[in-house]
Structures are given as structure tokens and as C-alpha cells.
């Protein structure tokens, strides 16, 4: 079905939007959302059975994950000419109902919206070191603007001492988690073998090569057997550009906004040839999260990430993104 046929079929456009939601990033790839449709309405609800009780007891990361799925729905609809209207938390008596998306009209999609939609399939969570940092000023501005548009802030951590301090917090939290039985058992349940047909969980082939030595800086989660190694200065490679995504408040509404901001930023990064690696471990420890709030970003941190180029051939920015940046 080509683009023109797709734009002419409302039911098919809704189906494509729901399929796009399934490609959103989520904590441990739990995909903790439930999507339902009713005509031209899509509802996004939290699947509490997929909450990580040890890692995410307050469901903050669960709601962020659902926010990312919500943004993919919005992007898919806009890219195919539908105008989405989102009502967050539409029913106070149903706290698990996070958003209702209604198609309220038709609109001509921009090249940028089409590019972001195309990035949904291309985006991948990166694990391991990068070949280069984010070195395009225009792209950095676009990433910051993407976060701001969704009521969040992207803080680039450029001071070397702060980078190392934040890396130490990640490493410290990861050390605690690796030695706490509850954390280890919970995460191990989400590891999938190569022959598994389950769509949830982290697959064995997603782990970086085991010959990478552990540097102690910005380690990823260990799902058992120390499969995830350290990520800084491995064989001449770099950690990437370190960033924190924050929100001014720390409510469930803020978490939903953070998820949308995160995904908008990730799709923009993908369009510019940049990947992201996530490090949420210290944000899962209340005292460490409070320390980062007070001493590093001055707001409520929702995601710690590294951004960089993972492939030797640098991708050119999309023409529409260039035009947006030139006018910013």
C-alpha cells in the first residue's frame, strides 16, 4: 500500500499508528502499554502487570515508556495527514488510562513529520561505546528544541568533572543493583534467548561484545553474568555526549511529557545519524536522584543518556531539519 492509498484509509492509518507505538523504547523493553481503538480514537493505558516492582516501584519509568509510545502515535498520524488531539489522563476514576488520542481533522504533513515517522523504524537503543560525539551544532539545537516542545529540558553535560561525577553515580548505582538479589532476579527475567518468540525483553544479541573491558564509567545494566561492560574509552572509542532529560515537576503528567519529549528527541537524533544509550540506574535510587536534581541539573531528572555516532559513515541531516535549524 503506497502513501496515497494509506492516507485515504482511516482504519489503516489508525492501524499504522498503533504499530508505530509498539516500536517505542521502554524500560527493559517491557512494552508496558495497552492500546485500544474505537473508530478514530486510540487510548493508551498502563499495563501494571509489566511494571518492574523492584526497579520502578512508583511506575515512573513505566509512564515515561508509555509517553514514548504516545508520541509515536502522534507522529504516525501527523505523517499520514491526520490531526491528533490528545487528552492526557482523561478519566480521574481510571488512573491507568494515560491518554486518549482522537483524530479531529486532516492536515498536510510536513517533510519533517514524514522524516520523524521514517525514523521510528530506524531508531535503535545503542549499547557500547561510540565512534564520535555529537558534533553538529544544528543538530544539538534541534534536540534541545524537541525536548522543549514537549515541556522538558535537555541538559548537555560538557564539563569533564561533571561527566565523570555522573558516570560515577551510574557506576555506583549499577554496582548496588548487581549485588542486590531482587534487582538481579527481576532484570534476569527480561533476558530473551535468540530463539525466543517473545516481543518483550532484552535479547541476547543486543548485548555488546563480551571482549570489551570494564572501564567502570557509564556501565549498562547487567542482566546476569556481567554481560554488559563498561563503556568509556574502550579501544579508542568514546563515551559520547552525556545528557540529562528533565522536567520542572515530577508528577505522572510530567512523566508522560518526559516520554514524549524523549521520543521526539530520539527520532530527531536518528534523522541526524545519532544514536542514544540509556543509563537510568541512579534515577532508580531516590537519594541519588535527589542529588542529581540539586547538584547537577536543577530540575527533576527523568533520563540520563549518552548520544553519539555509532557508525563510521556520518549521516547527513535531513534537508527539512537543516532548514528548521537554519531558522532557529
Amino acid at each position: 500500500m503506497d502513501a496515497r492509498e494509506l492516507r485515504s484509509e482511516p482504519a489503516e492509518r489508525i492501524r499504522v499508528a498503533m504499530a508505530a507505538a509498539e516500536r517505542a523504547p521502554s524500560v527493559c523493553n517491557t512494552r508496558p502499554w495497552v492500546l485500544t481503538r474505537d473508530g478514530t480514537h486510540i487510548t493508551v493505558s498502563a499495563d501494571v502487570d509489566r511494571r518492574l516492582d523492584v526497579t520502578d516501584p512508583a511506575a515512573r519509568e513505566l509512564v515515561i515508556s508509555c509517553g514514548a509510545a504516545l508520541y509515536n502515535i502522534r507522529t504516525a498520524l501527523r505523517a499520514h495527514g491526520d490531526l491528533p488531539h490528545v487528552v492526557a489522563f482523561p478519566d480521574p476514576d481510571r488512573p491507568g488510562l494515560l491518554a486518549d488520542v482522537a483524530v479531529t481533522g486532516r492536515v498536510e504533513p510536513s517533510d519533517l513529520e514524514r522524516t520523524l515517522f521514517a525514523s521510528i523504524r530506524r531508531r535503535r537503543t545503542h549499547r557500547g561505546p561510540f565512534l564520535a560525539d555529537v558534533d553538529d551544532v544544528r543538530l544539538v539545537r534541534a534536540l534541545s528544541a524537541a525536548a522543549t516542545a514537549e515541556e522538558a529540558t535537555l541538559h548537555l553535560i560538557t564539563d569533564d568533572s561533571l561527566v565523570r561525577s555522573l558516570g560515577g553515580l551510574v557506576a555506583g548505582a549499577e554496582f548496588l543493583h548487581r549485588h542486590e538479589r531482587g534487582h538481579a532476579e527481576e532484570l534476569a527475567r527480561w533476558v530473551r534467548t535468540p530463539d525466543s518468540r517473545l516481543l518483550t525483553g532484552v535479547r541476547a544479541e543486543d548485548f555488546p561484545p563480551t571482549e570489551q573491558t570494564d572501564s567502570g564509567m557509564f556501565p549498562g545494566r547487567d542482566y546476569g553474568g556481567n554481560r554488559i561492560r563498561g563503556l568509556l574509552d574502550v579501544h579508542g572509542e568514546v563515551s559520547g555526549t552525556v545528557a540529562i532529560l528533565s522536567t520542572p515537576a515530577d508528577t505522572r503528567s510530567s512523566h508522560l511529557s518526559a516520554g514524549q519529549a524523549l521520543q521526539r528527541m530520539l527520532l530527531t537524533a536518528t534523522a541526524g545519524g545519532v544514536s542514544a544509550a540509556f543509563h537510568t540506574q541512579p534515577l532508580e535510587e531516590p537519594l541519588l536522584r535527589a542529588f542529581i536534581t540539586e547538584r547537577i541539573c536543577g530540575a527533576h531528572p527523568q533520563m540520563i543518556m549518552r548520544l553519539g555516532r555509532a557508525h563510521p559513515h556520518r549521516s547527513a541531516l535531513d534537508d527539512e531539519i537543516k532548514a528548521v535549524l537554519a531558522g532557529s
Side-chain angles (χ1 to χ4, degrees):
M1 179 174 291
D2 64 27
R4 283 176 296 182
E5 289 175 325
L6 185 60
R7 288 197 295 269
S8 67
E9 297 290 341
E12 181 64 10
R13 296 195 302 268
I14 293 293
R15 185 196 66 78
V16 168
M18 295 176 71
E22 296 292 348
R23 290 182 173 270
S26 59
V27 56
C28 298
N29 196 32
T30 51
R31 302 189 181 191
W33 48 72
V34 177
L35 309 177
T36 58
R37 61 182 294 179
D38 182 7
T40 57
H41 283 252
I42 301 174
T43 60
V44 181
S45 301
D47 185 346
V48 295
D49 290 335
R50 294 186 180 181
R51 185 185 69 184
L52 302 178
D53 293 335
V54 178
T55 302
D56 185 34
R60 181 184 65 86
E61 293 180 78
L62 181 152
V63 176
I64 290 174
S65 301
C66 292
L70 173 60
Y71 185 77
N72 275 5
I73 291 172
R74 292 168 51 199
T75 300
L77 291 173
R78 289 294 300 241
H80 294 101
D82 284 318
L83 186 62
H85 176 68
V86 178
V87 178
F89 305 100
D91 188 347
D93 294 328
R94 298 171 62 193
L97 177 58
L98 302 181
D100 179 81
V101 185
V103 174
T104 58
R106 298 286 287 158
V107 64
E108 184 64 28
S110 68
D111 290 340
L112 178 59
E113 289 166 339
R114 292 191 182 99
T115 297
L116 294 180
F117 173 70
S119 294
I120 291 174
R121 282 184 171 272
R122 293 168 49 212
R123 185 213 65 82
R124 295 290 186 276
T125 298
H126 182 71
R127 295 177 175 87
F130 290 105
L131 298 180
D133 297 333
V134 180
D135 54 1
D136 192 310
V137 174
R138 298 166 302 171
L139 180 57
V140 170
R141 289 175 180 166
L143 296 176
S144 179
T148 300
E150 302 297 332
E151 301 180 354
T153 301
L154 184 67
H155 307 262
L156 296 181
I157 311 301
T158 57
D159 181 87
D160 184 64
S161 62
L162 280 181
V163 169
R164 292 190 173 277
S165 296
L166 191 58
L169 294 175
V170 172
E174 176 61 20
F175 178 85
L176 291 175
H177 294 173
R178 291 185 187 188
H179 292 83
E180 291 176 354
R181 181 174 179 179
H183 272 101
E185 290 180 346
E186 180 173 74
L187 296 183
R189 287 197 295 271
W190 292 95
V191 174
R192 303 292 182 242
T193 59
D195 59 347
S196 173
R197 296 185 178 182
L198 294 174
L199 298 178
T200 58
V202 180
R203 309 194 73 81
E205 58 266 31
D206 292 335
F207 294 114
T210 55
E211 63 268 17
Q212 291 180 358
T213 57
D214 193 345
S215 68
M217 289 288 289
F218 292 101
R221 292 188 194 274
D222 177 24
Y223 292 85
N226 289 322
R227 284 173 228 184
I228 304 248
R229 305 296 179 174
L231 303 175
L232 184 62
D233 297 328
V234 178
H235 304 305
E237 295 166 307
V238 298
S239 63
T241 300
V242 179
I244 298 175
L245 184 72
S246 74
T247 53
D250 201 28
T251 62
R252 294 182 81 230
S253 179
S254 300
H255 303 158
L256 193 67
S257 294
Q260 294 177 86
L262 175 66
Q263 185 64 352
R264 184 167 183 158
M265 190 205 72
L266 293 176
L267 296 183
T268 302
T270 300
V274 165
S275 301
F278 305 128
H279 301 281
T280 60
Q281 301 97 316
L283 304 184
E284 295 159 2
E285 296 292 330
L287 293 179
L288 295 183
R289 187 166 182 246
F291 178 86
I292 293 171
T293 298
E294 181 179 349
R295 302 294 293 275
I296 297 181
C297 68
H300 298 281
Q302 306 297 348
M303 179 62 70
I304 298 170
M305 69 196 89
R306 295 178 300 112
L307 304 165
R309 300 190 184 277
H311 305 290
H313 298 292
R314 177 175 171 177
S315 301
L317 288 174
D318 178 84
D319 288 342
E320 178 72 11
I321 293 178
K322 287 181 180 178
V324 170
L325 294 178
S328 62

